[in-house]
Structures are given as structure tokens and as C-alpha cells.
Amino acid sequence: MYNFQLFNKTTESFTPTFKFPDHPEAELKFVGEAPHLDSEEMFKGAFFIILPKEKVTTRKQELTIEIWNGEELLETTDTNFLGPI
């Protein structure tokens, strides 16, 4: 499970999209509601990342997460995916 905080410092509301450029087959399952940010709002949440078994090749894999607003890339971050082997 991954925890996150998003801050909307703009005057427009938006619904962010999470992408995994190195693993486009990855699925994201939010715990609770999916994020939607109104103007100057903060959103806290959590999610699970689900990878197909054949893509989990080591116990600890580096994973890049991109956060998008439509066609605009807002942020990129790296994390580790811990899976059974």
C-alpha cells in the first residue's frame, strides 16, 4: 500500500491520472475514493499497485509513477514495488 498527498495550487479543479511508464500493464486500486482536487485543495489517500505475476521478476523492483492532469505531466516520482518471489 502506498500513501500519497496531492496539493492543487491552481485556481482550477482537476482529477489527476497516475501512470506507470515502465509498466503500462500495472493497475492502480485506490483505497476509498479516487482523488479529485478543487482549487487550492489538498487530498490525502492510499492505493495499491497490482502488477501481473510475470512482470514481478525480483523481490524489490524500482517503479516510476507519473501524475498527470490531462496532457500535462505534473510530477514524476520513484518508489519500490515489493513483491513475492
Side-chain angles (χ1 to χ4, degrees), residues 1 3 19 32 35 50 62 66 85:
M1 184 165 69
N3 295 308
K19 296 182 182 180
I50 301 166
E62 195 167 294
E66 297 177 341
I85 288 292

Side-chain angles (χ1 to χ4, degrees), residues 38-72:
D38 289 324
S39 173
E40 299 180 9
E41 183 180 64
M42 179 185 75
F43 186 95
K44 290 183 181 181
F47 58 80
F48 290 95
I49 299 171
I50 301 166
L51 287 176
K53 285 184 180 183
E54 63 272 8
K55 297 294 180 178
V56 180
T57 56
T58 62
R59 173 88 173 115
K60 183 178 175 182
Q61 289 181 240
E62 195 167 294
L63 189 67
T64 300
I65 302 172
E66 297 177 341
I67 303 171
W68 291 78
N69 177 16
E71 297 296 317
E72 179 185 3

Side-chain angles (χ1 to χ4, degrees), residues 2 17-30 47-51 62-68 73 76-79 81:
Y2 300 86
T17 304
F18 294 75
K19 296 182 182 180
F20 307 94
D22 301 329
H23 296 279
E25 68 284 344
E27 290 182 48
L28 185 110
K29 300 280 185 184
F30 288 104
F47 58 80
F48 290 95
I49 299 171
I50 301 166
L51 287 176
E62 195 167 294
L63 189 67
T64 300
I65 302 172
E66 297 177 341
I67 303 171
W68 291 78
L73 176 62
T76 301
T77 188
D78 292 317
T79 190
F81 180 85

